Amino acid sequence: MLELALLFVVIAIIAGALGATGVAGLTMSIAKWLVLLFLVLAVISFVL
């Protein structure tokens, strides 16, 4: 899941460099949610 978030960050950086701000914003939002989901699942995994 973390790899997928990093992929979305890279896509967002490339899209931002090419001027596609809508795509860059969307992919950064997806990456942010994937990182948060990863952190929540990691904490649950460590607790249990």
Side-chain angles (χ1 to χ4, degrees):
M1 184 165 310
L2 196 57
E3 291 176 4
L4 200 62
L6 290 174
L7 175 69
F8 276 105
V9 168
V10 170
I11 292 172
I13 291 171
I14 293 171
L18 296 176
T21 56
V23 175
L26 179 67
T27 54
M28 280 304 290
S29 295
I30 293 171
K32 179 182 71 172
W33 285 109
L34 285 173
V35 168
L36 288 175
L37 183 62
F38 168 77
L39 290 174
V40 167
L41 291 176
V43 167
I44 291 172
S45 173
F46 287 135
V47 169
L48 298 177

